[in-house]
Amino acid sequence: MTTASRTRKHLEVQRSDHTTIRYTASGPAGGPTLALIHGWACNRGDYDAVTDHLPEDYRVLAIDLAEHGESRSTRDVWTMEEFARDVAAVLEAESVDTCVVAGHSLGGAVAVEVGRLLPDTVSHVVALDALHYLSLFPALSEEQTDAMLGMFREDFAGGVHGLVEAGSPAGTDTALKASYFEKMVAVRQPAGLRSIEGLMRWDMDAALLATEQPITVFAIRDLVTREAIDRYGDRFNIVPVDLGSHHFPVEAPEGTAELLAGVGTE
C-alpha cells in the first residue's frame, strides 16, 4: 500500500445526447485496472483517498456518472444500463482489456450492469455496501415504486434524510450524517430524482442471472440482514466489514483500498 498522493489526469469522453463523462485516471497503463463508480448523489472525488492507498502499480479510473460530479448530460434515459454505458465509454477510451469494476451504493448496481455489458472485459464485480438492501435494490412493484417516488417528489430532502439514516449504524456521528445529507440533497435535478427512479425500477434478479463474473459485496456488518444473505448468498459473496457507515469508502479509505486490492489478486 502507499499513502503518497498519486498523479492524476482529469479526462473526459463524449457520448451521444450531449453527454460528457469526466473521469480521473492514475497509475501505469500496464498495471491491474480498477474502475471505481460512486453512489447516488455522490462523485468520483469520494475515491481520491482510496486511490492513494492502492498499490502503486494499479491503474485506477474513477468515473463521474452523467449529471453527477463534473459530468453533464441532457439525456432522458436514467437507467442503470445507461449509466453502465457511461462507464463502458471510459473503458473504451482508455483501451482497457480487463479490469475489476467496483461501485458504491447505486454504483454497485451500475457495476453489475457493466459486467453484463462487457463480459470479456470485466473480470470481477465489486459492490461497496450495495445490492443487499432488499427495500431498494430488487425490483419494486409499481405500487411500491409509486409510493417511494411520491415521497421523494413531495419532500425530496426528507427522502434523502431517510436514505442517510438507513445507511447509518447506531452511534454514527451526527455531524458526519449531516455532511452526507448536505452533499446528497444538492444532487443535480431532474437527474437526481430520475436516477433513483431508475434504481427502483432496476431488475436486479434478471441482471444477476445475466452477469457471469463473480460478484463480491462488502457490506457494513450492522446493515446486513439474514434475509438478504438467505436470498442472495448463493449468487454473490457477501463479506461483512466493520469500517463505519454506508459511506465507508470515505470514512475508511485505507481499509477500503485493502479490500479492493484483495479482490484484484484473487
Side-chain angles (χ1 to χ4, degrees):
M1 295 289 173
T2 178
T3 57
S5 181
R6 285 170 170 250
T7 299
R8 295 177 170 84
K9 294 181 180 179
H10 299 281
L11 305 166
E12 66 180 50
V13 61
Q14 300 293 325
R15 295 196 59 219
S16 58
D17 295 321
H18 303 284
T19 297
T20 301
I21 301 301
R22 295 187 168 90
Y23 64 98
T24 301
S26 64
T33 301
L34 179 62
L36 300 176
I37 310 168
H38 60 76
W40 179 76
C42 299
N43 61 75
R44 73 186 194 268
D46 290 344
Y47 288 114
D48 283 352
V50 174
T51 299
D52 287 340
H53 284 287
L54 286 166
E56 293 181 356
D57 64 333
Y58 267 55
R59 179 190 189 190
V60 183
L61 305 172
I63 302 158
D64 276 341
L65 300 174
E67 284 297 277
H68 288 75
E70 295 180 327
S71 292
R72 296 292 176 262
S73 179
T74 61
R75 71 191 186 209
D76 296 322
V77 179
W78 298 99
T79 62
M80 301 305 100
E81 294 91 336
E82 193 62 26
F83 279 136
R85 295 184 185 99
D86 292 340
V87 178
V90 171
L91 298 182
E92 180 180 1
E94 291 292 316
S95 301
V96 174
D97 294 324
T98 183
C99 69
V100 172
V101 176
H104 168 245
S105 195
L106 173 144
V110 177
V112 171
E113 288 295 341
V114 176
R116 175 156 72 158
L117 182 64
L118 302 174
D120 296 328
T121 302
V122 177
S123 61
H124 201 122
V125 174
V126 178
L128 303 173
D129 211 53
L131 308 185
H132 62 91
Y133 290 95
L134 300 187
S135 62
L136 186 60
F137 283 91
L140 304 181
S141 68
E142 284 298 321
E143 182 179 357
Q144 291 171 318
T145 300
D146 290 343
M148 287 194 70
L149 288 177
M151 176 184 66
F152 275 91
R153 289 179 179 130
E154 294 169 13
D155 182 7
F156 187 77
V160 173
H161 183 266
L163 290 179
V164 173
E165 287 296 329
S168 302
T172 301
D173 182 71
T174 301
L176 195 61
K177 291 191 289 185
S179 70
Y180 296 144
F181 170 79
E182 291 298 331
K183 177 170 68 172
M184 295 169 68
V185 79
V187 65
R188 290 174 64 85
Q189 299 293 359
L193 186 59
R194 294 291 305 279
S195 56
I196 201 164
E197 177 182 0
L199 179 59
M200 292 176 190
R201 297 188 184 281
W202 182 52
D203 191 339
M204 182 170 78
D205 292 297
L208 291 174
L209 285 173
T211 304
E212 301 175 354
Q213 298 91 338
I215 300 173
T216 299
V217 176
F218 293 115
I220 293 300
R221 190 181 307 276
D222 289 347
L223 302 178
V224 180
T225 65
R226 169 49 59 182
E227 184 181 4
I229 294 172
D230 291 343
R231 179 169 175 175
Y232 289 112
D234 63 344
R235 180 55 193 92
F236 47 71
N237 183 26
I238 300 177
V239 181
V241 298
D242 300 298
L243 294 177
S245 78
H246 175 64
H247 295 267
F248 74 84
V250 174
E251 298 164 30
E254 184 173 7
T256 302
E258 290 177 357
L259 295 176
L260 293 173
V263 169
T265 58
E266 289 179 354

